[in-house]
Amino acid sequence: MNIAIMGFGVVGSGVAELIEKNHANITKRSMQQSLEIKYILDLREFPDSPFRDKIIHDFNQILNDDSVAVVVETMGGLHPAFEFVSALLQAGKSVVTSNKELVAAKGYELLTIAREKNVNFLFEASVGGGIPIIRPISQCLAANEINEIAGILNGTTNFILTKMITENMEFDAALKMAQELGYAEKDPTADVDGFDACRKICILASLCFGHHVYPDSVPTEGIRKISLRDVAYAADAGAVIKLLGVARKTESDKICIFVSPCLVQKSSQLASVDDVFNAILVRGDAIGDVVFYGRGAGKWPTASAVVADVIDCAKHLGKRKVLDWDVPVEGEIADISEIPFAFYVRGALPAGLSAEAAANAVGAEKILQIPNAPANEVALLTKKQTETALRASLAQAGFAPDSILRVTEY
Ligand code: HSE
């Protein structure tokens, strides 16, 4: 079976190399179809690559070649990936992508074309890199009503927070180290401001709850404002700070979804997920909690997920894998400020307000302590309440905290 790869960067080259390296077993697992890379589309030349003879620069060569049944999209970005993938699906080719930006923004449209053309659009690598999560949710956990997903979905921010927690490293120094190690981009915005995790939780929420959830409907906050004092206060609360993507069904059948740094109790399975590792907790009505853990990025883990999807396409030529969701439902996303949570609150007390009075005002269950805290600073753990109620109490007390974080229950 002929395949093409669009984008010969880190992941695309990993896909080509993995197909060559494990060719015999991949053929066996593709029901004796030998996967042959016919084209690799890229703007660049790769004169030193063993795949140099396959490099092409014209997308139409792939589109118009009837012998190419499956195309891998590892270009990244929205354009021209969206136009290319749409055209390929329209032409009756199956497409496998690692591109979370594409799936989060255009998943519904692309899945619809795939359904109409009886081909497959698979994207296991778009969330959690090498961690199996899309297929387990859509197949292995298909008997469950999934009530909640909570994930450490971004390796770069998890690396930075781990350095802050375990080595007392300041945010800026940890970010610099992540860049030097090649985890964070030169422009780290998508990672540190939570947009990458947002795209991933949107894909998971769409899959679990059956309607497309768009990134711009998700309250998203990154980790730039987390300080070493927050990390220390969290430790006094028996917790660590993790950037989570959370999606949960509310009692009124809405979707509560957000990305933000949260206090996670040290006893939680998510608390011990360190460095660039990712973990995704899925809560189903029959299974209870199940946690998927592993490498969420990188050449080989991501290629592992992409090639598995290509094998699945090979096994389902002319047949559809059931992987689908619907249009968004108006009003389905809950107002996050009306969902009760326990909160961590830290800030400088105004003149005349004692720590005890501030604690009483917001229904605090604990006043947190760290050595060498600024004299007028207080950090509190509140009882469960809505953010609206919390902010009203804070305003009434005249207390404007620097940091408000949710506290999770898993
Ligand atoms: N920048 C991403 C991360 C790569 O750090 O997790 C994988 O999507």
Side-chain angles (χ1 to χ4, degrees):
M1 188 189 80
N2 285 335
I3 71 165
I5 299 171
M6 303 192 301
F8 200 52
V10 174
V11 179
S13 61
V15 169
E17 288 167 39
L18 191 58
I19 288 174
E20 295 290 295
K21 178 175 169 285
N22 294 344
H23 199 264
N25 269 333
I26 288 173
T27 301
K28 232 185 270 171
R29 290 167 191 156
S30 305
M31 296 168 66
Q32 295 308 330
Q33 298 178 80
S34 170
L35 301 190
E36 301 302 331
I37 300 166
K38 188 160 181 186
Y39 304 115
I40 297 173
L41 180 73
D42 205 287
L43 294 170
R44 300 160 291 180
E45 300 290 349
F46 294 87
D48 301 327
S49 164
F51 297 96
R52 61 186 167 272
D53 296 342
K54 300 179 190 294
I55 300 286
I56 59 164
H57 308 297
D58 180 7
F59 166 68
N60 288 308
Q61 259 182 279
I62 299 173
L63 183 66
N64 297 327
D65 187 335
D66 290 341
S67 77
V68 174
V70 179
V71 180
V72 169
E73 187 275 301
T74 46
M75 305 159 65
L78 211 44
H79 304 289
F82 173 61
E83 290 74 17
F84 285 4
V85 172
S86 311
L88 292 163
L89 295 170
Q90 291 283 7
K93 300 179 193 301
S94 288
V95 176
V96 170
T97 185
S98 58
N99 185 341
K100 58 242 164 188
E101 194 176 351
L102 178 69
V103 183
K106 301 287 185 185
Y108 170 70
E109 278 130 293
L110 295 171
L111 286 166
T112 302
I113 304 172
R115 193 183 332 111
E116 285 166 4
K117 295 292 173 182
N118 197 38
V119 291
N120 289 297
F121 175 56
L122 303 183
F123 41 86
E124 181 62 66
S126 66
V127 181
I131 304 172
I133 185 66
I134 304 290
R135 199 170 277 95
I137 288 176
S138 62
Q139 294 182 3
C140 315
L141 301 177
N144 287 260
E145 287 298 323
I146 293 175
N147 309 313
E148 182 149 4
I149 324 147
I152 295 171
L153 299 167
N154 183 267
T156 303
T157 44
N158 204 40
F159 175 85
I160 293 171
L161 289 172
T162 303
K163 288 287 165 200
M164 292 176 76
I165 294 163
T166 60
E167 294 177 29
N168 216 31
M169 198 181 271
E170 293 283 357
F171 171 84
D172 288 337
L175 171 59
K176 193 158 171 273
M177 184 180 257
Q179 284 170 321
E180 282 163 5
L181 289 168
Y183 300 145
E185 306 289 330
K186 218 165 154 202
D187 175 3
T189 308
D191 292 318
V192 297
D193 291 329
F195 305 131
D196 176 77
C198 175
R199 290 168 187 144
K200 292 167 178 167
I201 196 67
C202 284
I203 296 170
L204 295 177
S206 305
L207 187 64
C208 289
F209 305 136
H211 301 126
H212 196 119
V213 177
Y214 286 102
D216 61 6
S217 64
V218 177
T220 299
E221 193 185 321
I223 63 166
R224 282 188 204 268
K225 288 191 337 207
I226 302 298
S227 70
L228 285 178
R229 290 214 302 286
D230 292 319
V231 167
Y233 283 122
D236 188 49
V240 288
I241 297 176
K242 292 286 180 192
L243 181 70
L244 295 187
V246 174
R248 121 169 21 144
K249 267 283 161 122
T250 68
E251 280 167 16
S252 52
D253 212 28
K254 292 192 173 202
I255 300 172
C256 161
I257 182 165
F258 63 90
V259 172
S260 73
C262 294
L263 263 69
V264 177
Q265 291 305 315
K266 282 185 181 155
S267 54
S268 162
Q269 291 189 77
L270 296 180
S272 54
V273 176
D274 283 339
D275 297 316
V276 287
F277 282 85
N278 285 193
I280 302 149
L281 179 147
V282 180
R283 183 167 287 178
D285 61 349
I287 188 79
D289 287 356
V290 54
V291 179
F292 300 85
Y293 168 86
R295 292 183 188 279
K299 176 172 176 163
W300 298 114
T302 312
S304 157
V306 171
V307 177
D309 275 352
V310 175
I311 293 170
D312 226 1
C313 286
K315 282 160 59 181
H316 291 87
L317 283 180
K319 285 179 280 183
R320 286 258 307 138
K321 299 257 318 170
V322 180
L323 180 62
D324 239 333
W325 57 69
D326 250 317
V327 277
V329 170
E330 183 76 30
E332 193 179 24
I333 306 297
D335 177 355
I336 182 75
S337 56
E338 296 303 327
I339 309 283
F341 285 92
F343 288 93
Y344 159 86
V345 176
R346 174 188 60 80
L349 289 164
L353 187 71
S354 68
E356 289 70 24
N360 280 338
V362 299
E365 297 199 320
K366 188 170 181 195
I367 300 177
L368 301 169
Q369 310 285 346
I370 59 168
N372 307 318
N376 65 341
E377 183 168 87
V378 68
L380 308 166
L381 274 189
T382 77
K383 67 176 191 301
K384 227 168 152 179
Q385 57 194 300
T386 66
E387 191 179 336
T388 305
L390 173 66
R391 289 194 182 277
S393 309
L394 288 167
Q396 205 171 16
F399 178 25
D402 297 322
S403 180
I404 298 180
L405 301 175
R406 291 183 186 81
V407 181
T408 65
E409 288 175 3
Y410 17 75

